[in-house]
Amino acid sequence: SQKIEQNSEALNIQEGKTATLTCNYTNYSPAYLQWYRQDPGRGPVFLLLIRENEKEKRKERLKVTFDTTLKQSLFHITASQPADSATYLCALGALFSGGYNKLIFGAGTRLAVHP
Amino acid sequence: NAGVTQTPKFQVLKTGQSMTLQCAQDMNHEYMSWYRQDPGMGLRLIHYSVGAGITDQGEVPNGYNVSRSTTEDFPLRLLSAAPSQTSVYFCASRPPLAGSDTQYFGPGTRLTVL
């Protein structure tokens, strides 16, 4: 069955360092991958999308890589700040019948950035 | 724009009761969906709709019904609540444009079934 794995343990880093979160998947050939941020008691908020033919995507302090051979995506936050503390979800998308791209979500990794 | 709105924010039900979770969006998005989020698990798709009058089942549809009479509204009905339906429910919408797969999520409804 399709499976998405994100590190269930919280990632604790020092302010100013680079945070790296991992998303691994099996039995799946996604057309694209997305990363979302979720704060406690709130809905997920879209951050970045990377397609299967793209190796890397950047947005301000965020960088996402996508290795379809390793079946892995890495999500980096450079110069991390305490305000970056949140849970980060990865989601894989593929085209299903009817033209609707269903997303399959990982359980998320909690990031805590300490001053 | 208010984006995606959900009501209520919190709800407690007794086993066997029924209720409707409301979801509305003012972005004229064709695609809408309902997810549930449980501790240690990813968001799981319950039902989705690709436009008014068109709905389909997701990964975990049992015990839930949906309808889509307008583009704006996509209510989720619990027919006979069970403790296993205790969860946080999120509604999401997105435009049907090719290459635009960003989903916009509502704030969620936290449901407890006793």
Side-chain angles (χ1 to χ4, degrees), chain B residues 36-87:
Chain B
R36 60 178 288 173
Q37 187 174 40
D38 300 293
M41 303 184 72
L43 290 157
R44 291 183 292 169
L45 183 65
I46 304 172
H47 285 286
Y48 65 97
S49 169
V50 299
I54 306 170
T55 64
D56 205 347
Q57 296 180 349
E59 181 186 359
V60 287
N62 292 342
Y64 308 95
N65 272 359
V66 292
S67 60
R68 185 94 180 272
S69 56
T70 67
T71 299
E72 294 78 21
D73 300 297
F74 190 41
L76 177 72
R77 297 183 190 84
L78 278 69
L79 308 173
S80 177
S84 61
Q85 294 179 305
T86 293
S87 187

Side-chain angles (χ1 to χ4, degrees), chain B residues 2-108:
Chain B
V4 180
T5 58
Q6 292 183 238
T7 56
K9 193 165 180 63
F10 300 95
Q11 184 69 50
V12 179
L13 292 177
K14 294 182 180 179
T15 297
Q17 288 184 314
S18 63
M19 78 158 295
T20 299
L21 307 185
Q22 302 291 343
C23 174
Q25 52 91 12
D26 60 359
M27 298 173 283
N28 201 33
H29 287 172
E30 292 288 335
Y31 294 167
M32 296 186 74
S33 50
W34 275 101
Y35 294 86
R36 60 178 288 173
Q37 187 174 40
D38 300 293
M41 303 184 72
L43 290 157
R44 291 183 292 169
L45 183 65
I46 304 172
H47 285 286
Y48 65 97
S49 169
V50 299
I54 306 170
T55 64
D56 205 347
Q57 296 180 349
E59 181 186 359
V60 287
N62 292 342
Y64 308 95
N65 272 359
V66 292
S67 60
R68 185 94 180 272
S69 56
T70 67
T71 299
E72 294 78 21
D73 300 297
F74 190 41
L76 177 72
R77 297 183 190 84
L78 278 69
L79 308 173
S80 177
S84 61
Q85 294 179 305
T86 293
S87 187
V88 182
Y89 291 85
F90 289 100
C91 178
S93 74
R94 71 172 180 87
L97 301 174
S100 176
D101 298 300
T102 303
Q103 295 214 74
Y104 297 83
F105 284 86

Side-chain angles (χ1 to χ4, degrees), chain A residues 53-115:
Chain A
N53 60 349
E54 298 175 316
K55 295 293 185 185
E56 181 179 299
K57 188 72 77 77
R58 291 175 185 262
K59 179 182 177 183
E60 298 174 351
R61 294 184 296 110
L62 309 180
K63 184 179 82 171
V64 173
T65 63
F66 193 11
D67 189 325
T68 55
T69 301
L70 291 179
K71 295 187 181 294
Q72 180 182 79
S73 174
L74 298 178
F75 177 78
H76 306 273
I77 305 175
T78 59
S80 59
Q81 306 164 0
D84 295 325
S85 299
T87 295
Y88 292 87
L89 313 176
C90 73
L92 277 63
L95 185 63
F96 286 80
S97 61
Y100 183 77
N101 291 4
K102 292 183 184 179
L103 287 178
I104 297 179
F105 283 84
T109 297
R110 188 165 62 87
L111 172 67
V113 182
H114 302 283

